[in-house]
Amino acid sequence: MTQQEDTLGGAATRPPADNGAFLQVRELRVHFPTDDGVVRSVDDLSFSVARGKTLGIVGESGSGKSVTSLSIMGLHKKGTAKITGEILLDGQNLVGMAPDRVRQLRGKRMAMIFQDPLSAMHPFYTVGSQIIEAYRIHNKVTKAVARKHAIDLLDRVGIPNPKSRVDDYPHQFSGGMRQRAMIAMALSCDPDLLIADEPTTALDVTVQAQILDLIRDLQAEFNSAVVIITHDLGVVAELADDIMVMYAGRAVEYSSAADIFNSPQHPYTWGLLGSMPRLDRERTERLQPIKGTPPSLINVPEGCPFNPRCAYAGTNGDLSFTVRPEFRDVGGGHHIACHLEAQDRQRIWETEIRPKL
Amino acid sequence: MSTKTETAAADRRLGEDLLVATDLQKHFPIRRGLLQRQVGAVQAVDGLTFSVKRGETLSLVGESGCGKTTTGRLLTRLIEPTGGKITLDGRDITHLSAGAMRPLRRDIQMIFQDPYGSLNPRHTVGAIIGAPFRLQKVKTEHGVKRAVQELLELVGLSPEHYNRYPHEFSGGQRQRIGIARTLALRPKVIVADEPVSALDVSIQAQVVNLMEDLQNEFDLTYVIIAHDLSVVRHVSDRVAVMYLGKIMELADRTSLYERPMHPYTVALLSAVPIPDTARRDNRERIRLSGDVPSPINPPSGCRFHTRCWKAQEVCKTTEPPLAELAPGHQAACHFPENTTKLTIDPTGSAA
Amino acid sequence: GGGTSSSGGSTGGNGGTNTPAFNAAMTTIFNPSDKKGGTVRVANAGTWDSLDPGETYYGYSWNFARTYARTLVMFKPAPGDGSSELVPDLAESLGEASDGGKTWTYKIRKGVKFEDGSVVTSKDVKYAVLRSTDKETFPNGPAYFEGYLNLPEGYKGPYKSKGVDTNSAIETPDDQTIVFHLKQPFGGFDYFAMMPQTAPVPEAKDTGAKYKEHVIATGPYKFDKNEIDKGFTLVRNDQWDAATDPNRKALPDGYQVTMNVNADDIDNRVISGDLDLDITGTGVQPASLSRVLGDPALKAGADNPSSARLWYTSISPTVAPFDNKACREAVQYAVDRTGYQTAYGGTFSGGDIATNLLPPQIPGASKFDLYPAGADNKGDVEKAKAKLQECGQPNGFETNIAYRAERPKEKAAAEALQQSLGRVGIKLTLKAFPQGDYFSQFAGNPPYVVANKLGLALNGWQADWSDGFGFLSQIVDSRVIRETGGSSNVSVRVPDVDKMLDEAIGETDKSKRESDWGAIDKRVMEEAVILPGVHAKALLVRPKKLTNVFVSAAYGQYDYLSFGVA
Amino acid sequence: MTAPPDVSGTAAEADPEASLKGVGKKAIQGRSLGQIAWLRLKRDKVAIGGAIVIVLLILVAIAALLLDRVFDVVHPNEFHQDLIDTENGTLAPLGTFGGISGDHPLGIEPVNGRDILARIFAGSWISLLIASLATVLSVVIGTTMGIIAGYFGGWVDTLISRLMDVFLAFPLLVFAMALVGVLPDTAFGLSPEMVRISLLIFIIGFFNWPYIGRIVRGQTLSLREREFVDAARSLGARGPYILFRELLPNLVAPILVYATLLIPTNILFESALSFLGVGINAPTATWGGMLSDASRFYTMPHFMLWPGLAIFVTVLAFNLFGDGLRDALDPRAR
Amino acid sequence: MITYIIRRLFAAIVLLFVVSAVTFAIFFLMPKLVGASPETLATRYVGRAATADTVRETAERLGFYDPIYVQYWDWAKGIFVGADYSYGTGVEHCPAPCLGYSFRNNQPVFPDLMDRLPVTMSLAVGAAVLWLLGGVAVGTLSALRKGTIFDRAAMSISLAGVSLPIFFTGLLSLSIFSYGLGWTAVGGSYVPFLDNPGEWAYNLLLPWITLALLFSAQYARLTRAGMLETMNEDFIRTARAKGLTERTVVVRHGLRGALTPILTIFGLDVGLLLGGAILTESAFSLQGLGKYAIDGITNYDLPKVMGVTILAAFFVVLANLVVDLLYAVVDPRVRAK
Ligand SMILES: Nc1ncnc2c1ncn2[C@@H]1O[C@H](COP(=O)(O)OP(=O)(O)OP(=O)(O)O)[C@@H](O)[C@H]1O
Ligand SMILES: Nc1ncnc2c1ncn2[C@@H]1O[C@H](COP(=O)(O)OP(=O)(O)OP(=O)(O)O)[C@@H](O)[C@H]1O
Ligand SMILES: [Mg+2]
Ligand SMILES: [Mg+2]
Ligand code: NI
């Protein structure tokens, strides 16, 4: 809902981009050359996030969500990834920037929360010292000051008794507390951009709910831009303002959260919605999985990457099999990459998909 | 007594108890000191009583660490129970030796939580699925290879995959390999430990459907361990909610999801994120505070009292028994919800 | 100093030379000087058997013990052959024989004191000799006294046989006089009196097996710090009186000795001057051999004395086919003598090719060759083959050769023998045995030898002193062979020889006796039971920073008593 | 002397999924582990280089055994004292660089003038045999013990772990010297030489197993927690099946790494025993024995250079090949 | 924790018992195989000129006529209650722990061991520090530059170190660096650390380097493997995400994680070395335990051999214990158990 106005007047075919937004990603391509061929993990991806807003990225495993976030953070291993395109953080292009300058931005201007907090924290250092370390890189303060700051942070993220828990090791924390400590670490320098890569996948529902609340509250407090990555549509529904659906390294649908759930336009999104059992709906007799398996990112299918799994692939002649669909605005800032005609989409959604959900 | 409704299995032989656990306990000892004296125990499972009827699907849900996996491993006798009793098809298997248990393993099989970890990375698919035939010395009509290839087809994989290694498969495919392996012996009961939680939504649906199909085809009885309440609702006939090694609530599916009695169940249901932005702001949520206490030193009385918003003095001192508060609906709570009539709709569902 | 007048061959005013040249210290004093002071730095690649004069049996130890212990008589500290002469030390004169050589009398010098200031009496000498006969407490020392003295039956030394009257063996009529009574006449008793076992020990200070930790000195030096098996230092003994001692100059202020030093390391340090002396005096290691001989400057700083040692190979007549003399002779002819010599280290480090037993410096020895090996000393293959024919093994035979595993030279010699005997079809298999058990369990154990067909066994023998008796008695007398193992004679079982030995020992006429030794030598060689290898020589690096350096022929190494520090 | 590396098989590797998606679609037909390993190995030039050298070494060893023992055309023990400087008494080879000449391309030994090339050649088979068989012995015992200790845990683990301590603490040299001194020449109908070789293999191999045992134990401890072990048990597999069919294949990588490190250690161990006089009987040539002989003539480095080089090449080849093989055998590696 | 240590020490005593008993048995039972009698054994200790009587007496004195378990018991008793030794003119009491008297020179073994321990310790510890630093540094660099020329070269060169025996490298380096160039101390020089730390280090420099060369290859390889694995861990990514410099990431986070398994082996190696670096000490003429052991072995000096064995075993056990405890220090996860 945030960028819609800005992009309305711009090139309608260009992906949603907001020149004033805090994070802008333009035509990002991340390719990994491997023995078997080039893995096109991310191909021609564009999006932007403004301060105070949350973008949710969904998509199944291997669709390039993590690669995207790591590219923003500049965390790909040296020499493994070929990154092209632009990543503008507050106007500065991170692609091609000297590694040391990117490093200085990490932690301070942009921070990241990882999926598995146990393996993402060093097992040999106390939680406190890991937060202190993060804080002291960007702030020239004494250890004592940093420690106070760490305790404050732990308190803020809801760790009971932070004064003593600050000296605990990660393994002494429960899963939820670890994720909170991770968040505290990410927030230690008040970053302007927070990327959360599957922050709750490893957690239980009750704890997940706590963490999602926490992220929401903290975002409101710090007014940061948040990118939340997950494959759980329920999670983004709770948090995101906008949602981008990815498939095979590309965005297939991008819109406000409400639109994605109320009037999704892309068959893949339909498939996602259809394959998950929902507590808020009547129990169905059978789930409707998307048939087939995700494509190899080395041999991305010709035409629409989703065509082998798409039930409507043949409806436009062999367009789906030969021409890569453009990612375009179909009105109201709702972008999709699909060859289906607007009325067909509408009809299918209304008549075939929606009733089954 | 069964409130079995819409599931298609009208022809299943229902009714009789196939697998019964009575006051099942597993305490992992914590040893210390010169003589390795036991100084305490992780009370991973502490007095479970339930039965699984032939042909039904019973689900165990609960937070991480509440003892679900341990229960599954007890039922399949991978570990020795500390107390209680397990009977399989009327036979007491509680303390059978590994040797005596071996022939019975044909009847009870397990699908493992981790599709990556449960397949030996150095064995081919053929070797993995063929292992049960060799280990149980099952006679096959056309040789083991044919049998394996048939199984591969059954679970929706290509027979050509026979010579390939697990790492060449996706998570969903791996889970299918695991399922094929358990099916090799045509078991009566399958204990499935989080069979889909490591999988993607789209794959998850494929596997769930597969399991349902197989149940129909082979007249299987499932004990499914899971923490995804939506999936559980989809697959199970009856659901048991566990907390810290104990069953808090045990009821048939509809009754549990529509009229949860235990506050913990209520909280769980309300915490499930709903993929619907419309409900985002007007949902009534119950947010539990704090974390699950340690099973080494569980709270006295009702184990949930430390996080329960309804807890009173009695909860700290007296442990509520698992009592049948409605037909086919058991709960262990001093102050249960929904006992008479549905008062709140935790899911916000209109249904 | 009285006793240092040099014997023949000396040059220069002071009877010495300062010009470095190969073998310069063989017959003259190199770098003569009377300068006192300084410390002599000594290293030992191994350890002493014992520092206790009562139980030491190493040549270098006898040479060195003279710095702290005075014996009744001693070898004269003089260059070259002069050193073979015995001179009185603690005694006023050499021994006086009576009773046809069965009684020997010595008079102790007046005024000789122990390091604690007490006066040395004949009782101290008697006590010292008696305690040395306790072989259980002092296992390492020579056993001549208990063999020859007329000790009471079953006497086990002063510790176990307390209060036993030993006057039948040794009498001390007064504090000066000591009289030895032998069981049988023995003309060479002065050699016995030369052994460190006659160095006096004060009974009150004797601590038995622990005495070696602090020997009570009578010589010009006494022990300061002594760490067994690690090292010790000698400092001046202020109770030593030069007036009572015509033989010692006592130039340095002390000696500093380190043990268990890597042998190659010792060579390097001696060559570089970091260290003065490799005390074992057995010559440099192979690695340094080429260095020293290859560099004229270094070679000029080296001496190459010979010692009264024979490296040889025993040929066991108890092992077929060596029970046939012709087979033994075949070996004698077939062997490549230069190969053997090279294996031991060549002319300089190994020694001179031996064709008979007695080393040339032993009186009575004469070189003879019963099995000529051709002009090039490479062996007479034709003759050997003929002998094989004669012994009924025309195509040769197989047998084993034993050597000590820890001795690379013996290994090399065994390999050389294998090569040269292989030429005539005698196939040798090499058997290495640990040297600790070599004689007691393996090569010196007759039943084992037979059972394991040890036809050949490498061996070596050095005379305790340059005398036919000292050299021959332990290696050719069949009666010393012990069937349970442990004897040094492995292969000589010739009744004739035993008889000849008895005659020679009893012979009082010196020149007759000496020619007897030569006859025995020849008789043994005729039996072909010993294959002589080399008469040992050692390449010694002359101490750079010491004065009065000369080789003592008696010890076959430098004289350790006369050094001074430059 | 050496140490048990806790090397886990999986070194750097990309997300396992990467390979999944990469290979998954293309190669449909099944390939056996051997085929996969071979495909990967072929691409690893360095490992192939190592393998070629190993094969060459083995060929050389076999050739040496045949040529020397059967056809008697190599003369490793033949003296050439005419080429030795006996004149000056240095006993060094005449000529430059240790007497290198057409007849003796690598020069000759001091003192006896044996041809170094012939000795290295003739010694190759014993050195390789001892090093490899002793390694195999250690690996077999170590793996068996380690896997049993790690899998069964409890008192079995305690017992085996302490047994490892005993072996580690055991004065190996004492044992070697005591044993070699007293052992009979012929046993089980073997020639004295083979008896000695077997003995050395036994001593070296038998006392090195605790190192590998420790690694295997450690790895097993973590492996046994993996669910595929439970899976096998739930199918009714017995202990031995789990140990050797399920766990063992997963231990190959660390074992390989350690085994390749063990080979030089074992060659040097033989040399140390030779140095102490309890190695292979003279005059039989072995690389270790040559090194120990050469150490007495360290002022003539050529003597040591060649056997040292032979050992180095062997070690390098085994290590490079071992590394490559480990990577190739790891189905997850990429 | 304390009880854990006590339990391990208890196990250690059992272990020492086993090791010593086996050594004892080998020493006496092996010769029996080739038919040695008590007398033949005693012949080893009676010098060149002993009579049969002396041999018998010596065998008697050394207890060779007793059954082997009695002999072992007599020896073991000394550890707890001490032993008496008659030196001829008197009796000396060797207080507990008495490891007996040398069969050769009658010196009590225990003080000798204690005397030599510092030498071996200096040697082992110094070399260990060197090879640990060197090996870890090379291994880390190799891991970070995996596949480069540097990586391959470092790994190959380090293998050269393993291919040469120390008795050779020791002598060669001595003759080059000490006698040739005069940079390092000559063999056999040792000054106790407390007397003069500078001299101590200077004298031991060459032995340290030579010994370290032999070990560093292994550590380089281990470190490399460990680093390759650790640098792929999630927590490394986290560290980078914090904005840490690459140096900090590698050293503080990567190395710290990779070092734990190396520590195990390190402890073990040092433990083994403390039992005597036999060949090194011989090459450099250091009067340490290794040299002592060799003397004992070559001279069949059982009490010496037993002494070193016990001490070596003790260090192995100790090292094991220390490693396990260190694990708890280094890895807080272990502490919890
Ligand atoms: N270093 C790399 N080398 C080669 N391929 C890579 C690399 N990193 C990622 N990939 C590939 O890029 C693709 C996208 O991976 P990514 O981790 O972004 O997926 P994801 O959407 O985050 O999946 P998940 O939900 O499982 O986390 C995958 O196919 C992955 O295998
Ligand atoms: N072998 C064991 N020894 C000691 N404690 C154990 C053992 N196995 C499990 N536990 C403990 O028992 C409790 C229950 O574990 P269990 O694995 O059954 O939980 P779970 O419900 O399956 O959790 P999750 O959802 O994380 O899989 C946990 O606290 C766990 O730490
Ligand atoms: Mg991801
Ligand atoms: Mg579980
Ligand atoms: Ni907007």
Side-chain angles (χ1 to χ4, degrees), chain B residues 69 113 193-194:
Chain B
T69 299
Q113 177 165 6
D193 186 2
E194 316 240 8

Side-chain angles (χ1 to χ4, degrees), chain A residues 1-5 53 242:
Chain A
M1 259 172 282
T2 52
Q3 295 93 351
Q4 287 164 359
E5 292 77 18
K53 291 295 172 186
D242 296 310

Side-chain angles (χ1 to χ4, degrees), chain A residues 125 202 206 248 282 313:
Chain A
Y125 295 109
T206 61
E282 201 55 43

Side-chain angles (χ1 to χ4, degrees), chain C residues 165-247:
Chain C
D165 181 7
T166 51
N167 283 340
S168 61
I170 307 175
E171 277 180 299
T172 48
D174 58 50
D175 278 357
Q176 245 61 57
T177 315
I178 182 161
V179 185
F180 295 93
H181 298 287
L182 308 186
K183 288 187 234 172
Q184 72 210 66
F186 184 66
F189 191 82
D190 273 337
Y191 286 116
F192 289 0
M194 169 274 304
M195 295 189 301
Q197 288 170 312
T198 65
V201 174
E203 186 170 1
K205 295 265 165 102
D206 183 22
T207 49
K210 296 208 301 174
Y211 185 67
K212 62 171 171 281
E213 290 168 34
H214 195 135
V215 176
I216 310 296
T218 44
Y221 300 97
K222 63 179 180 186
F223 285 89
D224 182 22
K225 203 173 89 178
N226 184 10
E227 295 175 276
I228 298 294
D229 287 358
K230 282 179 84 179
F232 59 89
T233 47
L234 295 181
V235 295
R236 283 194 187 279
N237 171 12
D238 53 6
Q239 296 295 327
W240 174 76
D241 184 357
T244 67
D245 196 337
N247 299 315

Side-chain angles (χ1 to χ4, degrees), chain D residues 1-13 44 46 162-171 173-175 177-179 181-184 211 214 257-258 260-261 264-265 268 271-272 275-276 288 291-292 294-299 301 304-305 308 311-313 315-316 319-320 323 326-327, chain E residues 7-8 11-12 15 18-19 22-23 26-27 30-31 33-34 146 152 155-157 159-168 171-172 175 214-215 217-219 221-222 224-226 228-229 232 261-262 264-266 268-269 272 278-279 282 294 297-298 300 305 309 312-314 316-317 320 324 327:
Chain D
M1 170 183 74
T2 78
D6 197 316
V7 201
S8 156
T10 48
E13 63 184 63
D44 188 343
V46 180
R162 296 292 86 82
L163 190 68
M164 291 187 205
D165 284 353
V166 170
F167 271 85
L168 284 174
F170 191 77
L173 281 174
V174 180
F175 183 76
M177 296 180 80
L179 198 65
V182 304
L183 230 86
Y211 297 106
R214 277 176 164 270
V257 172
Y258 190 71
T260 49
L261 272 177
T265 315
L268 288 195
S271 127
F275 187 70
L276 296 170
L291 273 188
S292 105
S295 73
R296 297 176 54 237
F297 298 93
Y298 66 95
T299 42
M304 170 285 274
L305 179 70
I311 294 178
F312 175 60
V313 167
V315 167
L316 199 61
N319 274 279
L320 294 179
D323 286 356
R326 177 196 59 191
D327 292 345
Chain E
R7 190 162 56 89
R8 287 289 298 265
L15 178 115
V18 172
V19 170
V22 172
T23 313
I26 286 174
F27 196 87
M30 286 290 177
L33 290 180
V34 282
K146 186 188 176 215
R152 296 224 187 268
M155 287 301 111
S156 305
I157 291 171
L159 283 176
V162 198
S163 308
L164 288 179
I166 197 140
F167 51 76
F168 185 84
L171 286 174
L172 197 67
S175 78
L214 196 67
F215 281 84
Q218 227 173 6
Y219 284 79
R221 291 177 66 85
L222 288 178
R224 181 173 176 274
L228 283 179
E229 208 173 310
N232 269 329
I262 294 174
T264 332
I265 306 149
F266 180 69
L268 222 86
D269 276 342
L272 286 173
I278 290 180
L279 295 176
S282 308
I294 280 289
I297 294 167
T298 48
Y300 298 103
V305 174
T309 304
F314 173 76
V316 170
V317 174
N320 267 325
D324 286 353
Y327 242 101

Side-chain angles (χ1 to χ4, degrees), chain A residues 202 204, chain B residues 26-30 41-45 61-73 79 113 193-194 225-227 242 244-245 293-296, chain D residues 225:
Chain A
D204 294 307
Chain B
K26 179 66 192 181
H27 295 183
F28 293 105
I30 308 168
V42 181
Q43 301 175 18
V45 168
V61 293
E63 281 186 289
S64 179
C66 70
K68 305 183 298 289
T69 299
T70 308
T71 309
R73 287 158 57 86
I79 48 178
Q113 177 165 6
D193 186 2
E194 316 240 8
I225 293 166
H227 61 241
M242 285 181 71
L244 271 185
S294 153
I296 299 172
Chain D
E225 302 297 329

